[in-house]
């Protein structure tokens, strides 16, 4: 029976989806950051949800391109247990980010970094960088740069706590009867 147990274990391991840049999930460093209104957010507040943690800046074209798609995914999959969280890496902080957000509709919290969070996540040169953090607070994968919406969706879909609660966007064709 010992043989079967270890055999079963290796089978499940092989079936695990390959992550883009990491060998094994590791705990996501917790943080306490303020959003542009001054409200405090902790990563641990979102435990039980899948968190898509996105480091971006207003001056970064691929960042600006993915944000509307992230906002759509947040609305579609929010009920299923997704939470997008943005960390704006602009040097001027709220002075730059706040006006930008007044002209762009973002349906999830945008936080300001504290000088430590980027280092904790190893974000030092390239943005956007997005971390896929499962409901237990483990980083499952991450990706640098813009990805097409269906690719992003595929990265978190299998991790959702309540996948059946997703709201199918109105633009999607109705399933064949």
């Amino acid at each position: 029976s010992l043989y079967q147990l270890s055999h079963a274990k290796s089978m499940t391991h092989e079936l695990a989806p390959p992550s883009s840049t990491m060998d094994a999930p590791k705990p996501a460093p917790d943080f306490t950051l303020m959003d542009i209104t001054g409200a405090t957010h902790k990563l641990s507040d979102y435990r039980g949800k899948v968190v898509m943690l996105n480091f971006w800046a207003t001056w970064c074209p691929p960042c600006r391109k993915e944000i509307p798609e992230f906002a759509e995914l947040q609305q579609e999959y929010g009920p299923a247990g997704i939470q997008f969280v943005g960390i704006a890496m602009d040097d001027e902080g709220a002075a730059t980010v706040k006006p930008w957000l007044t002209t762009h509709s973002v349906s999830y919290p945008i936080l300001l970094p504290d000088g430590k969070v980027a280092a904790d996540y190893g974000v030092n040169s390239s943005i956007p960088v997005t971390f896929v953090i499962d409901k237990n607070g483990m980083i499952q994968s991450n990706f640098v740069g813009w990805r097409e919406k269906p690719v992003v969706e595929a990265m978190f879909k299998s991790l959702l706590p309540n996948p059946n609660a997703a709201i199918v966007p109105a633009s999607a064709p109705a399933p064949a009867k």
Side-chain angles (χ1 to χ4, degrees):
S1 71
L2 185 66
Y3 170 78
Q4 287 175 322
L5 183 66
S6 61
H7 182 65
K9 254 183 159 155
S10 66
M11 294 263 300
T12 55
H13 182 67
E14 284 163 25
L15 295 173
S19 79
S20 51
T21 52
M22 294 189 324
D23 303 327
K26 60 181 183 205
D30 200 6
F31 54 75
T32 303
L33 298 175
M34 288 209 289
D35 67 19
I36 56 153
T37 68
T40 302
H41 298 253
K42 290 183 173 151
L43 178 63
S44 50
D45 292 343
Y46 302 111
R47 192 62 54 87
K49 293 183 172 186
V50 175
V51 175
M52 298 293 282
L53 182 65
N54 175 240
F55 289 82
W56 69 286
T58 59
W59 46 261
C60 151
C63 302
R64 295 198 302 259
K65 183 174 181 177
E66 70 188 355
I67 282 177
E69 298 180 351
F70 286 178
E72 287 171 16
L73 288 166
Q74 176 62 55
Q75 289 175 309
E76 290 162 24
Y77 287 96
I82 195 82
Q83 181 62 60
F84 280 81
V85 176
I87 298 182
M89 302 299 288
D90 294 80
D91 290 338
E92 305 80 19
T96 303
V97 178
K98 214 169 183 170
W100 189 87
L101 287 172
T102 58
T103 58
H104 297 78
S105 148
V106 182
S107 58
Y108 53 87
I110 297 295
L111 312 181
L112 300 168
D114 58 1
K116 185 169 147 316
V117 68
D120 285 351
Y121 281 85
V123 176
N124 44 29
S125 51
S126 305
I127 55 170
V129 183
T130 304
F131 292 83
V132 184
I133 303 169
D134 72 16
K135 65 181 196 285
N136 302 313
M138 301 294 284
I139 299 174
Q140 291 292 339
S141 61
N142 63 52
F143 58 96
V144 178
W146 176 80
R147 296 283 190 280
E148 288 184 24
K149 188 178 164 188
V151 175
V152 174
E153 195 175 16
M155 288 180 179
F156 66 72
K157 223 170 166 176
S158 64
L159 302 170
L160 291 171
N162 312 303
N164 298 335
I167 298 167
V168 179
S171 57
K177 293 210 162 66

